[in-house]
């Protein structure tokens, strides 16, 4: 065997990795936009003078306020039940109206069920406009057209709700399995047949869950609309606080808080059940119902033998088991509640025809929009509103991140810790921002600070929930792979869990910014700073051309922020 002494020895060399692709122009621009928004948010916090020193200076006011709160002055039980019933009736009817209107709009807005690009564009435009126009603006215009009462308030809540419900319904329809619909179309089914037999049944759990979520939001919003004439608990709260009856006002605020928390928890359980996140154990009540229902029909003996009743006749309808009984009872109860709410809402249609005839004249009062001699003041107030939204989103994010992390069951140290922080999130979400703003106004005085603090606390509830849900939906296989290398829990969290959810968290923050800017407009009506203060004042002195100009400013601002948010989410996703 010949050995070549001069031959080079073979060594193990690493294969060079391919160079990382350079980020595109759009991606660089999107990250730059996020940096600009973060810088603007930090500047807003500083410009609004939200700091520990200002909070300390307000401690005396807080002590005086809490001393004037007690003893709480609750209304008589009968009066309280009437106000609560009226509030719930208005919110129920408004939410049902929004669902009825949103369903056809979402069908035309979804790419897989629309009748053409023109109708899809029209439906998407309706959704965007309804979402961009806050409830308060709808209410101001509709109260001017139809007068005070439940009917215009219900319309205001319902029309604005289309913006959220219609979008979520359209997204659910676009994500469904298209196989059943294609089968019905292949068999010669009409458009109405394949939509009603395949589309709606598939997305029904999401439809109901979205409606329940919107019901929670409408309940809190109805309190705010009490300041412009909507009846119920909101109107009584507004009257009590306007007359500085803090003992009665805080008592009503406590009732509203407990009502919102109860509704939030109840609807959360129903939504979780509909979406299959709650196990149905048939050893308890469901098993008992099954045993009772078993006497109504004889179960099939196996094979292909048809199902027959006790009398021997073939049964075509599904068996009356616990699932079917529960669905039937749910539908029947829902119809009964909606019918009762429609009657109890006490809507007055006696002058509806005359109001519609006067519609052109009323709308003419709003046109053409004009700032009169307040252009500089209104522009400055609009900038303050944007500052409030930016600062509130940043402050809420700082608090929501740790709360959301500990509320995620796959990240929290234990299930008990996760449940504790989930409970905290539910309680925070039940706090109406209006009540928080009023409390902070009494403590810190009029201005943008109370509005910012109220929206920041409200942001903690929504952002905390969204962050926790996003962390729980991560791919555990990626975490297991990192953990298998010997990484610690913190390393797994930052390297696998957090990196997976980063795009979703950015999307949630941008969505919260959009919501906060709209909400900052609403809180201005109680003196929490921003353009809302001028909006409600112009409405009270009937300067409707100024009202129209402010409405145009709000819509343009909201649409601009939403466009930036949508573009950024699309590029970074």
């Amino acid at each position: 065997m010949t050995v070549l002494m001069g031959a080079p020895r073979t060594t193990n060399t690493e294969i060079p990795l391919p160079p990382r692709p350079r980020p595109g122009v759009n991606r660089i621009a999107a990250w730059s936009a996020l940096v600009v928004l973060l810088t603007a948010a930090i500047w807003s916090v500083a410009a609004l003078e939200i700091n520990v020193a200002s909070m300390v200076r307000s401690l005396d006011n807080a002590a005086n306020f809490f001393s004037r709160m007690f003893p709480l002055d609750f209304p008589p039980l009968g009066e309280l039940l009437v106000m609560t019933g009226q509030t719930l009736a208005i919110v129920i009817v408004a939410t049902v109206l929004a669902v009825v209107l949103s369903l056809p709009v979402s069908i035309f807005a979804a790419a897989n069920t629309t009748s053409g690009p023109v109708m899809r564009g029209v439906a998407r435009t309706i959704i965007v406009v309804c979402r961009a126009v806050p409830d308060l603006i709808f209410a101001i215009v509709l109260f001017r057209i139809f007068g005070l009462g439940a009917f215009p308030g219900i319309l205001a809540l319902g029309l604005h709700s289309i913006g959220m419900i219609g979008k979520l319904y359209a997204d659910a329809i676009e994500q469904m399995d298209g196989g059943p619909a294609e089968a019905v179309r292949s068999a010669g089914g009409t458009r109405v047949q394949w939509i009603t037999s395949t589309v709606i049944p598939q997305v029904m759990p999401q439809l109901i869950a979205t409606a329940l979520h919107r019901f929670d939001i409408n309940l809190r919003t109805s309190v705010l609309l009490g300041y412009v004439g909507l009846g119920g608990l909101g109107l009584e709260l507004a009257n009590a606080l306007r007359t500085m009856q803090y003992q009665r006002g805080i008592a009503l605020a406590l009732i509203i808080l407990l009502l919102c928390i109860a509704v939030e928890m109840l609807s959360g359980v129903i939504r979780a059940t509909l979406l299959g996140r709650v196990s149905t154990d048939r050893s308890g009540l469901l098993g008992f119902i099954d045993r009772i229902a078993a006497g109504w029909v004889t179960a099939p003996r196996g094979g292909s033998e048809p199902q027959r009743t006790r009398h021997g006749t073939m049964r075509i309808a599904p068996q009356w088991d616990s699932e079917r009984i529960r669905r039937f009872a749910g539908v029947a109860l829902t119809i009964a509640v909606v019918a009762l709410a429609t009657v109890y809402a006490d809507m007055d249609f006696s002058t509806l025809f005359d109001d519609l005839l006067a519609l052109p004249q009323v709308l003419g009062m709003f046109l053409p929009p004009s700032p009169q001699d307040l252009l500089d003041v209104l522009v400055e107030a609009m900038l303050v509103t944007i500052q409030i939204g930016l600062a509130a989103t940043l402050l809420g994010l700082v608090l929501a991140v740790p709360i959301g992390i500990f509320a995620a069951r796959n990240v929290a140290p234990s299930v008990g810790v996760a449940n504790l922080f989930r409970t905290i999130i539910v309680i925070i979400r039940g706090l109406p921002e209006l009540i928080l703003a009023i409390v902070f106004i009494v403590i810190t005085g009029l201005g943008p600070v109370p509005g910012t603090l109220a929206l920041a606390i409200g942001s903690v509830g929504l952002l905390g929930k969204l962050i926790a849900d996003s962390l729980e939906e991560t791919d555990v296989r990626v975490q297991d792979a990192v953990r298998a290398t010997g990484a610690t829990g913190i390393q797994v969290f930052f390297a696998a869990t957090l990196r997976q959810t980063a795009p979703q968290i950015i999307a949630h923050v941008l969505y919260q910014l959009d919501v906060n800017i709209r909400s900052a407009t609403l809180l201005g009506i109680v003196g929490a700073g921003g353009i809302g203060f001028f909006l409600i004042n112009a409405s009270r002195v009937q300067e409707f051309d100024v009202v129209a100009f402010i409405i145009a400013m709000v819509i343009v601002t909201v649409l601009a922020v939403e466009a930036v948010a949508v573009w950024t989410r699309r590029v970074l996703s």
Side-chain angles (χ1 to χ4, degrees), residues 456-543:
I457 294 176
S459 300
V460 173
L462 181 56
L463 277 179
K465 180 182 184 301
L466 294 176
I467 291 173
D469 292 345
S470 297
L471 291 173
E472 289 182 350
E473 293 168 1
T474 54
D475 189 352
V476 295
R477 293 174 298 180
V478 178
Q479 301 167 15
D480 293 338
V482 176
R483 190 177 294 108
T485 63
T488 63
I490 296 178
Q491 291 173 330
V492 171
F493 172 75
F494 283 101
T497 308
L498 189 59
R499 290 191 64 179
Q500 289 187 67
T501 58
Q504 290 86 349
I505 292 176
I506 292 174
H508 298 331
V509 173
L510 292 174
Y511 170 73
Q512 187 66 60
L513 174 62
D514 185 17
V515 171
N516 282 344
I517 290 179
R518 286 199 299 266
S519 300
T521 302
L522 307 183
L523 295 184
I525 68 172
V526 294
I531 198 67
F533 176 77
F534 295 92
L535 176 63
I536 196 65
N537 282 349
S539 174
R540 285 170 179 167
V541 299
Q542 300 188 6
E543 293 179 348

Side-chain angles (χ1 to χ4, degrees), residues 130-144:
C130 289
R131 189 168 64 250
V133 181
D135 317 72
L136 176 65
I137 291 177
F138 273 125
I140 289 175
V141 175
L142 292 172
F143 277 129
R144 182 61 189 176

Side-chain angles (χ1 to χ4, degrees), residues 20 101 144 156 223 255 298 339 346 372 391 451 499 510 540 546:
R20 290 184 178 181
L101 296 177
R144 182 61 189 176
V223 180
I255 296 297
T298 301
D346 194 22
Q372 296 185 9
R499 290 191 64 179
L510 292 174
R540 285 170 179 167
V546 179

Side-chain angles (χ1 to χ4, degrees), residues 296-555:
W296 299 2
V297 62
T298 301
R301 298 178 179 177
S304 58
E305 184 179 349
Q307 192 180 70
R308 298 183 181 277
T309 65
R310 290 182 299 173
H311 304 290
T313 59
M314 185 181 301
R315 185 177 182 85
I316 300 176
Q319 180 180 349
W320 280 94
D321 57 3
S322 60
E323 291 294 332
R324 188 180 179 191
I325 293 174
R326 186 174 60 178
R327 288 196 301 268
F328 176 81
V331 172
L333 180 62
T334 301
I335 294 175
V337 169
V338 172
L340 181 63
T342 304
V343 174
Y344 198 75
D346 194 22
M347 293 179 287
D348 184 10
F349 299 104
S350 60
T351 61
L352 179 61
F353 183 73
D354 294 334
D355 294 335
L356 293 177
L357 290 179
L359 181 60
Q361 180 182 356
V362 174
L363 293 179
M365 301 170 63
F366 291 86
L367 302 173
S370 172
Q372 296 185 9
D373 56 348
L374 299 174
L375 180 60
D376 294 340
V377 176
L378 295 180
V379 171
E380 182 180 356
M382 193 70 243
L383 292 176
V384 171
T385 297
I386 297 174
Q387 285 182 320
I388 294 173
L390 287 167
T393 304
L394 178 60
L395 295 175
L397 177 64
V398 171
L399 297 174
V401 168
I403 291 177
I405 290 174
F406 284 106
R409 296 175 180 86
N410 59 333
V411 178
S414 65
V415 177
V417 172
N419 292 335
L420 172 63
F421 279 88
R422 284 281 181 176
T423 304
I424 293 173
I425 290 175
V426 170
I427 294 174
I428 294 175
R429 292 190 66 196
L431 293 169
E433 287 90 349
L434 175 68
I435 295 176
L436 293 173
I438 292 171
V439 173
F440 284 123
I441 285 172
V442 177
I443 295 174
T444 64
L446 298 174
V449 173
T452 303
L453 296 177
L455 291 178
I457 294 176
S459 300
V460 173
L462 181 56
L463 277 179
K465 180 182 184 301
L466 294 176
I467 291 173
D469 292 345
S470 297
L471 291 173
E472 289 182 350
E473 293 168 1
T474 54
D475 189 352
V476 295
R477 293 174 298 180
V478 178
Q479 301 167 15
D480 293 338
V482 176
R483 190 177 294 108
T485 63
T488 63
I490 296 178
Q491 291 173 330
V492 171
F493 172 75
F494 283 101
T497 308
L498 189 59
R499 290 191 64 179
Q500 289 187 67
T501 58
Q504 290 86 349
I505 292 176
I506 292 174
H508 298 331
V509 173
L510 292 174
Y511 170 73
Q512 187 66 60
L513 174 62
D514 185 17
V515 171
N516 282 344
I517 290 179
R518 286 199 299 266
S519 300
T521 302
L522 307 183
L523 295 184
I525 68 172
V526 294
I531 198 67
F533 176 77
F534 295 92
L535 176 63
I536 196 65
N537 282 349
S539 174
R540 285 170 179 167
V541 299
Q542 300 188 6
E543 293 179 348
F544 295 110
D545 53 344
V546 179
V547 171
F549 186 83
I550 295 175
I551 290 174
M553 291 179 65
V554 172
I555 293 175

